[in-house]
Amino acid sequence: MESANHLNHQEYGAIERAPLPRNMIENSMFEEEPDVVDLAKESTSYPIDSDDVVYEPRSSRLLVRGLGENDLDEDEEDYESSARLLGMSFMNRSSNQRSAASSYTRHQPSGLCSMPSAKTTVVGVLLLVVVVSVFMVIYFVPGCTFTRKGCQKTNSTMEKIYPISTSDELFPWTELRLPSSVHPVHYNISLHPDLKNMTFQGSVSIKVEVLNETKIIVLHSSDMNITKATFQDKVVHFLEYKPWQQIAIKFPEDLKKGLYVLNIDYTANFSNSYDGFYNSSYVDTNGTKRVLAATQFEPLAARKAFPCFDEPAFKSTFLIKITRESKYISLSNMPKVKTTDFKNGLLEDEFKESDTMSTYLVAFIVAEFSSYSTNVSNTTVSVYAVPDKKEQVHYALDAAAKLLEFYNNFFEIDYPLSKLDLVAIPDFLAGAMENWGLITFRETTLLVGNNSSPLDKQLVTSVIAHELAHQWFGNLVTMRWWNDLWLNEGFATYMQYMSIKNVFPDLDIGTEFLNVRFKALAKDALNSSHPVSTVVSTPEQVEEMFDSVSYEKGASILLMLNATLTNGEFRKGVIEYLLKYNRSNTESKDLWNSLSQVSKQNLSVSEMMNTWTVHKGFPLVTVKRNGTQVTLSQEHFLLNAENSTDYSTLWHVPLTYVNDSCSVLSSCKQVFHLKDKTAILKLPGEVKWLKFNFRSDGFYIVHYDMEGWKALIDALNGNINVLPCEDRAALINNIFALSRLGRVSFRQVLNLMDYIRNENETAPLIEALFQLDQIYRLLDKRSELNLVSRMTGYIDSHFGSLMESQSWELETSVSKMTLRSALLEMACSLNRLNCTTQAKHLFDQWVHSNKTSPIPSDLMRTVFKVAAQTDDGWDVLLNTYKHSIYDAEKHKTLEGLASTQDVRKILWILKKSLDGSEIQTQDFPLVIHTICRNFAGYLYAWDFVKENWEKITQKFPLGSFPIQSIIMSATSQFSTKTHLMEAQNFFSSLGAKGSQMRIVQEATETIKQNMRWMENNLNTLQHWL
Ligand SMILES: [Zn+2]
């Protein structure tokens, strides 16, 4: 699956995750002055009437105004001054905290004096154990009922306690995972979706094999009404346990080994979220409402469409039949083999029996779609869209054909099906989904209109490349269980960058991949991170696996491995793996074993890579040079280290380095395998400087001694080209990370950054902008107005002339576009006159020419964000959002709309995007993300999230990528004690509705990290900025 990361740039969280989001473009909504709110001014020109704004955030009033009872109709001066006052009061409060915290820190060393003696400690601990044990016995045992899941765990010596099924009988199974005694072999599925009444009827016939004698068959089913069930043609009684979405049949005697047939007839409503078999609607250009039905099963929703053994290792074949009205077409994984006319206005399509595959890859669609096709080898590739957008499929068709050819050659295994459909679904939550033979996409990630820029094409190409790679990694060979999801997602992510680099070199995908690696490092530096391969059991934990670690860290460690192996060994090992496990399931070790077998080096791939998949986090490598002797050491790079329990983790680091005599070409690279805590590297001769982690191919951060940093900075000040641009970007990234860790002072960061005035390459410049933007936003949100203004001055002095020199004309180079859109978005958000004037000029031209005078697509977001600040501009954008048939344009329009600083508009857009009435609900995470960039709306967005949590979690599953994105967007810019407590109170109030999510830990940890950074660096900033 492609999470919406790319959209902001992808798969769901796109917003926070991908290259675009890292790109300043997404990240900079700086508002220097939080004073744009003009509530007294009545605006009649936008569609917000008082009835629309029924939502009133409660704690925003508290937080923003410091008052309890004011409402939105009071005048703006009150709001504005309260906001400023509040900023002040936050500052005061946090400085109180600061002094409290620092006095605590100072006392720490002398804390030894007050340490209890060992004896006292032992007695205390024993006492505590007794008290806790008594408490647990009193509390848990009497509370233990059959329906209480926790009971079995609290006392493992008790007999199994079976849950109660819906019919009040005991349900005969006690685990979330299905028993392994019965396997499905083949499914016959007939479906009749009724798009008028939003219901469907289904009938499934499952041929199962009993592998071990058993008295029960257990499978998954969710939200359906089973009308009839037979086993070997005899009616059987089903038991259902809804919390685990399981159904079971009990037999009086053991079933002998062998094949049996289970038939189930059922009815169900279409899902009203974005998973299972769900309906979607859109309005065509004639104003007619159209409906369609589509599926999204990964990870756990095939069970909502048909009863099934819904775990990836239960692979099976599928034969699917769909009944439809004649105005619709139907699509499924396999090509259609026949259509039967029932003569009652209904037709039934039957699809060819599928390859053996996992349930999460099954898909079907009933819709009015048009398509174009082409042939690649023995496969017909087609791209489908709604008829209004039929002409926007050509780019995708061409890209898919080229990429399919690349993968057929690279893997030396041809794509096995005779057709491959790529379908743009008008309402779709993920970025895309790799269903075998029927890949589904958001419209933004597949359609390319006339006014799309190469940057839009980069997004579309990336998502197609990702999903096509899944046809091998995921579909042909599948992880055994969701704990190894990275085998699917890390690989598809890595292959997307590798294939595009080869097939579409003009798309400058290398910069994008570098940003993705930096982003993965930032996430993995937190204690809330998790190993690439980790234990998962509950549905929320499965959803949570779709995160930066599985995708981006997974891809990063594969790059590091490929860069370490030589002579095409990586590719050979991958081919070996695909051949060996074709159509079956694997674990991480199977991949490492295949790669070890082909490696001619004296290198155990398994031994090395295990250290990267079983531990969370990554190493900080510290380099100290004394003449020709270099001392290397490694430790866990962990922000918020006081939470850490394990300092002993060691990685096998394939450490690469170059020196001043040879530093740019790949042939300069040397490798040292650092496996121990410390090691000595002897250089053959004197060097001026050393740079480790060549081109940032390795997943680690490097710190040098003072002389080491100084020598590198001096070298860059002399000539930036002594290092490749990836290395320069990595130095910037690493030194900011080290400052967060407290290893270097912010003064040292600024020392390095001085060279940036000479920088001209995209990768280092956007990394520098990204890092400064993060700090700027924190300062802005704290209303540190003096520092905000100084930071503006700093950015001006280092990037001002570059900002002024950017062209506003059409541009063709992706690299130049990436750079100028980042620079200009920041320039306009800092209210640089030249920028806002140009943006307004382009917008006016566009409006007056009836949108025929084009705005360069890479500048659209910047232009729209400026235009959205006036009522007239906002109206034009809303109108464009509603009527544009170009999704890339719509997307940027929405970002413009959400960047308004008018509170009423902010509240309107929050409400509309959650209920889906005028803004698509799929874009709610993007709306939250964009609003939270701004001072004006971020606390309103936070309140909105809190007060609508129930509704939000009905639309997006707990733990899923959209939920992760929403939480992080809403909280990641908090940096005060008050906000920390506010967030913690909310999270703990969620109970079973989310308090256990990993993202909650991540959010809390991020706020604490922000607080610590501010405490440590505010003085430095005052002094040096
Ligand atoms: Zn994927």
Side-chain angles (χ1 to χ4, degrees):
M1 184 156 48
E2 255 297 340
S3 55
N5 254 340
H6 282 124
L7 300 181
N8 293 294
H9 157 79
Q10 160 193 24
E11 305 187 358
Y12 318 152
I15 311 189
E16 292 274 285
R17 314 222 150 202
L20 280 185
R22 279 196 48 95
N23 194 323
M24 290 302 308
I25 306 187
E26 299 269 330
N27 291 323
S28 65
M29 272 313 298
F30 306 156
E31 300 312 327
E32 185 176 358
E33 298 287 308
D35 58 1
V36 209
V37 182
D38 192 355
L39 291 177
K41 186 178 161 196
E42 274 303 313
S43 168
T44 51
S45 60
Y46 56 87
I48 300 175
D49 54 41
S50 53
D51 290 342
D52 276 336
V53 187
V54 290
Y55 164 73
E56 278 192 27
R58 266 171 271 157
S59 43
S60 274
R61 277 181 277 149
L62 191 68
L63 282 170
V64 177
R65 304 182 173 204
L67 299 170
E69 297 303 323
N70 297 350
D71 65 37
L72 292 170
D73 293 321
E74 290 188 29
D75 63 38
E76 77 280 12
E77 284 178 20
D78 171 30
Y79 174 88
E80 186 183 338
S81 55
S82 298
R84 287 180 180 281
L85 272 174
L86 182 75
M88 296 304 288
S89 67
F90 277 160
M91 227 157 58
N92 294 339
R93 262 178 268 165
S94 64
S95 60
N96 291 340
Q97 301 294 348
R98 185 158 63 242
S99 50
S102 55
S103 65
Y104 176 73
T105 313
R106 277 198 299 277
H107 286 145
Q108 276 290 57
S110 60
L112 284 174
C113 305
S114 59
M115 263 205 166
S117 71
K119 191 177 158 193
T120 323
T121 311
V122 169
V123 171
V125 167
L126 282 176
L127 225 127
L128 194 68
V129 167
V130 171
V131 169
V132 168
S133 312
V134 169
F135 174 79
M136 285 178 74
V137 167
I138 292 171
Y139 184 79
F140 283 107
V141 171
C144 191
T145 69
F146 284 155
T147 52
R148 191 160 185 159
K149 291 183 233 165
C151 286
Q152 311 140 37
K153 288 180 187 167
T154 57
N155 188 346
S156 57
T157 59
M158 281 170 74
E159 282 190 21
K160 277 186 181 170
I161 297 174
Y162 292 100
I164 303 282
S165 67
T166 36
S167 54
D168 277 346
E169 296 162 74
L170 288 187
F171 192 78
W173 186 243
T174 59
E175 292 171 33
L176 276 162
R177 298 284 297 274
L178 299 181
S180 56
S181 47
V182 180
H183 278 228
V185 177
H186 176 75
Y187 292 78
N188 260 325
I189 305 169
S190 296
L191 291 157
H192 179 194
D194 177 349
L195 274 70
K196 286 198 187 75
N197 296 309
M198 299 303 162
T199 60
F200 63 97
Q201 288 177 19
S203 167
V204 60
S205 170
I206 314 173
K207 186 190 284 183
V208 297
E209 182 172 12
V210 173
L211 300 173
N212 298 305
E213 293 187 358
T214 177
K215 286 193 175 66
I216 56 168
I217 293 180
V218 186
L219 63 160
H220 290 109
S221 158
S222 172
D223 299 332
M224 53 183 61
N225 173 31
I226 294 177
T227 51
K228 184 183 175 190
T230 64
F231 185 76
Q232 298 293 80
D233 292 331
K234 287 191 191 122
V235 173
V236 284
H237 172 57
F238 260 106
L239 299 168
E240 179 171 19
Y241 184 54
K242 285 190 173 174
W244 292 354
Q245 305 176 337
Q246 291 174 349
I247 54 175
I249 322 171
K250 280 196 277 195
F251 298 93
E253 305 288 334
D254 271 342
L255 293 171
K256 304 290 176 214
K257 289 180 187 177
L259 293 170
Y260 300 85
V261 176
L262 172 64
N263 284 303
I264 302 170
D265 296 341
Y266 59 98
T267 59
N269 294 323
F270 283 122
S271 164
N272 55 13
S273 56
Y274 287 95
D275 61 1
F277 195 13
Y278 72 96
N279 66 283
S280 157
S281 66
Y282 62 97
V283 177
D284 69 15
T285 43
N286 297 322
T288 311
K289 186 181 176 188
R290 307 276 178 181
V291 291
L292 62 103
T295 57
Q296 166 62 41
F297 291 164
E298 190 181 24
L300 306 172
R303 64 192 68 171
K304 290 185 172 181
F306 57 97
C308 56
F309 296 79
D310 200 8
E311 294 182 8
F314 287 120
K315 287 194 170 184
S316 179
T317 54
F318 296 82
L319 191 149
I320 293 170
K321 296 176 189 172
I322 292 178
T323 302
R324 61 176 168 91
E325 288 179 51
S326 58
K327 68 174 176 175
Y328 296 109
I329 61 162
S330 75
L331 297 167
S332 186
N333 306 83
M334 301 300 291
K336 191 164 71 179
V337 287
K338 70 173 177 187
T339 298
T340 309
D341 191 343
F342 290 149
K343 309 290 185 197
N344 57 354
L346 294 176
L347 304 159
E348 184 192 67
D349 294 329
E350 180 177 328
F351 299 90
K352 193 178 163 196
E353 183 175 317
S354 76
D355 239 288
T356 180
M357 65 183 195
S358 307
T359 44
Y360 78 88
L361 292 168
V362 174
F364 28 87
I365 295 169
V366 177
E368 296 166 82
F369 281 157
S370 305
S371 68
Y372 282 101
S373 303
T374 188
N375 288 317
V376 177
S377 301
N378 299 317
T379 303
T380 303
V381 181
S382 309
V383 182
Y384 287 82
V386 299
D388 288 339
K389 301 177 183 177
K390 185 186 177 188
E391 296 308 320
Q392 298 178 41
V393 306
H394 299 290
Y395 178 81
L397 188 60
D398 181 57
K402 286 181 176 145
L403 288 162
L404 187 63
E405 209 171 347
F406 173 84
Y407 287 134
N408 278 342
N409 292 328
F410 184 87
F411 295 130
E412 295 180 3
I413 301 171
D414 274 358
Y415 171 76
L417 310 186
S418 64
K419 70 103 173 169
L420 175 61
D421 298 333
L422 295 86
V423 186
I425 310 265
D427 215 10
F428 191 76
L429 188 57
M433 175 63 211
E434 68 265 21
N435 316 299
W436 215 353
L438 181 62
I439 309 178
T440 45
F441 295 78
R442 277 192 183 198
E443 291 186 330
T444 325
T445 56
L446 190 67
L447 302 182
V448 171
N450 293 336
N451 56 356
S452 296
S453 76
L455 274 180
D456 300 322
K457 290 178 181 166
Q458 189 195 56
L459 167 64
V460 167
T461 317
S462 292
V463 179
I464 294 174
H466 180 99
E467 304 309 328
L468 287 192
H470 273 313
Q471 307 301 305
W472 286 262
F473 277 93
N475 300 7
L476 205 58
V477 179
T478 314
M479 75 266 142
R480 181 156 296 138
W481 178 242
W482 301 106
N483 65 318
D484 274 324
L485 178 69
W486 85 276
L487 281 173
N488 273 14
E489 298 303 350
F491 235 105
T493 306
Y494 180 53
M495 289 308 302
Q496 94 189 42
Y497 296 118
M498 183 208 267
S499 62
I500 292 175
K501 190 177 162 198
N502 281 280
V503 183
F504 299 94
D506 291 347
L507 289 181
D508 190 33
I509 206 70
T511 304
E512 173 94 353
F513 190 18
L514 185 66
N515 285 336
V516 161
R517 304 202 293 279
F518 291 157
K519 189 175 134 218
L521 286 167
K523 288 264 182 185
D524 206 25
L526 297 173
N527 205 29
S528 54
S529 187
H530 62 90
V532 166
S533 181
T534 194
V535 176
V536 292
S537 49
T538 68
E540 290 78 25
Q541 289 168 344
V542 171
E543 294 281 355
E544 286 179 332
M545 289 304 281
F546 292 82
D547 72 354
S548 183
V549 172
S550 295
Y551 284 78
E552 288 149 3
K553 182 179 180 182
S556 303
I557 63 174
L558 289 169
L559 170 71
M560 181 168 66
L561 176 61
N562 194 2
T564 307
L565 298 172
T566 51
N567 303 323
E569 288 170 351
F570 181 80
R571 181 181 168 206
K572 283 181 206 154
V574 165
I575 293 170
E576 165 84 20
Y577 167 82
L578 289 172
L579 284 173
K580 184 169 178 186
Y581 298 103
N582 192 346
R583 290 174 174 78
S584 60
N585 296 82
T586 55
E587 299 169 3
S588 297
K589 67 176 168 49
D590 299 321
L591 175 64
W592 304 144
N593 287 339
S594 293
L595 283 156
S596 290
Q597 278 172 22
V598 300
S599 173
K600 301 268 189 299
Q601 299 179 49
N602 187 19
L603 173 70
S604 164
V605 173
S606 302
E607 179 266 322
M608 178 171 99
M609 294 311 290
N610 267 336
T611 66
W612 296 92
T613 53
V614 304
H615 304 311
K616 72 177 177 190
F618 58 87
L620 165 64
V621 175
T622 302
V623 178
K624 291 189 174 124
R625 184 164 69 89
N626 187 359
T628 57
Q629 177 162 305
V630 183
T631 308
L632 303 164
S633 60
Q634 63 161 304
E635 67 193 287
H636 188 169
F637 187 106
L638 186 63
L639 297 171
N640 299 328
E642 81 274 15
N643 298 327
S644 168
T645 49
D646 180 14
Y647 292 95
S648 61
T649 309
L650 289 179
W651 284 263
H652 177 156
V653 190
L655 201 56
T656 54
Y657 59 100
V658 293
N659 63 43
D660 58 288
S661 63
C662 180
S663 57
V664 178
L665 300 175
S666 293
S667 54
C668 299
K669 180 178 82 173
Q670 301 184 68
V671 185
F672 179 87
H673 286 272
L674 176 63
K675 302 179 196 176
D676 300 321
K677 181 94 185 144
T678 60
I680 303 288
L681 164 66
K682 287 290 283 179
L683 299 175
E686 286 292 333
V687 294
K688 283 187 190 148
W689 49 261
L690 287 167
K691 162 74 178 62
F692 282 77
N693 200 1
F694 183 61
R695 293 200 163 152
S696 206
D697 283 347
F699 197 70
Y700 51 91
I701 281 179
V702 185
H703 183 30
Y704 303 89
D705 53 17
M706 287 295 264
E707 294 75 29
W709 275 113
K710 184 172 183 305
L712 282 165
I713 292 169
D714 287 349
L716 283 179
N717 282 328
N719 173 13
I720 60 166
N721 294 316
V722 295
L723 286 173
C725 66
E726 297 93 334
D727 281 303
R728 303 191 313 259
L731 284 176
I732 295 168
N733 172 275
N734 283 194
I735 204 161
F736 273 96
L738 288 163
S739 142
R740 251 170 245 127
L741 191 65
R743 293 298 169 93
V744 303
S745 70
F746 201 68
R747 176 71 196 140
Q748 275 177 279
V749 175
L750 296 177
N751 276 346
L752 171 68
M753 288 288 285
D754 271 347
Y755 102 91
I756 208 85
R757 289 194 184 91
N758 298 323
E759 186 56 82
N760 51 23
E761 291 276 354
T762 300
L765 283 167
I766 62 171
E767 180 59 20
L769 283 169
F770 172 77
Q771 295 289 351
L772 292 172
D773 174 52
Q774 283 198 311
I775 296 169
Y776 184 104
R777 277 187 286 116
L778 287 180
L779 294 171
D780 184 40
K781 299 287 160 41
R782 292 170 66 104
S783 296
E784 298 277 1
L785 300 183
N786 178 30
L787 284 176
V788 165
S789 138
R790 288 213 228 168
M791 181 62 100
T792 308
Y794 180 85
I795 292 170
D796 189 57
S797 70
H798 287 71
F799 299 88
S801 60
L802 210 50
M803 286 169 171
E804 296 304 317
S805 68
Q806 297 303 304
S807 116
W808 290 73
E809 307 291 317
L810 285 171
E811 171 62 66
T812 53
S813 151
V814 173
S815 177
K816 283 185 184 160
M817 264 186 263
T818 307
L819 178 59
R820 83 164 176 187
S821 53
L823 283 165
L824 293 178
E825 181 148 353
M826 180 174 267
C828 279
S829 66
L830 295 177
N831 278 322
R832 285 180 74 90
L833 192 60
N834 198 5
C835 188
T836 51
T837 308
Q838 288 275 13
K840 283 176 190 155
H841 175 65
L842 274 182
F843 187 75
D844 289 345
Q845 269 189 344
W846 183 68
V847 173
H848 293 138
S849 69
N850 205 14
K851 302 178 188 171
T852 54
S853 169
I855 300 169
S857 178
D858 58 305
L859 298 179
M860 259 187 192
R861 177 167 35 209
T862 301
V863 170
F864 289 168
K865 283 186 172 180
V866 171
Q869 305 309 326
T870 66
D871 287 343
D872 288 348
W874 205 81
D875 286 347
V876 170
L877 291 173
L878 184 61
N879 192 43
T880 307
Y881 177 81
K882 285 181 175 168
H883 297 109
S884 174
I885 60 163
Y886 299 108
D887 217 62
E889 181 181 83
K890 257 182 100 157
H891 192 79
K892 291 161 194 161
T893 312
L894 182 59
E895 288 175 277
L897 290 169
S899 68
T900 175
Q901 298 179 50
D902 182 326
V903 170
R904 278 185 238 208
K905 290 179 178 133
I906 288 171
L907 294 181
W908 183 86
I909 205 169
L910 282 167
K911 184 170 174 288
K912 293 298 174 186
S913 58
L914 183 58
D915 70 22
S917 55
E918 288 174 72
I919 311 284
Q920 287 181 284
T921 304
Q922 65 174 17
D923 291 328
F924 180 70
L926 174 67
V927 165
I928 293 284
H929 176 81
T930 310
I931 289 175
C932 288
R933 297 268 150 208
N934 261 324
F935 184 89
Y938 84 113
L939 291 176
Y940 285 100
W942 164 243
D943 280 340
F944 188 85
V945 168
K946 285 191 300 179
E947 298 189 5
N948 292 278
W949 186 251
E950 186 82 29
K951 201 169 170 188
I952 291 170
T953 52
Q954 281 163 13
K955 303 271 185 185
F956 312 109
L958 276 183
S960 64
F961 201 87
I963 292 287
Q964 295 172 34
S965 165
I966 290 165
I967 295 257
M968 282 315 282
S969 297
T971 61
S972 63
Q973 295 165 73
F974 290 166
S975 67
T976 64
K977 181 84 176 169
T978 313
H979 279 140
L980 174 67
M981 285 163 59
E982 157 76 19
Q984 282 177 324
N985 284 343
F986 170 65
F987 293 143
S988 60
S989 76
L990 294 179
K993 296 213 166 83
S995 62
Q996 298 304 310
M997 288 189 296
R998 185 181 293 124
I999 197 69
V1000 162
Q1001 295 171 41
E1002 187 180 323
T1004 312
E1005 208 180 330
T1006 302
I1007 301 170
K1008 287 182 181 167
Q1009 173 59 27
N1010 291 344
M1011 289 164 62
R1012 184 173 306 117
W1013 195 90
M1014 282 293 160
E1015 281 167 19
N1016 292 338
N1017 290 290
L1018 273 179
N1019 285 340
T1020 316
L1021 291 171
Q1022 301 275 11
H1023 197 254
W1024 291 109
L1025 263 186

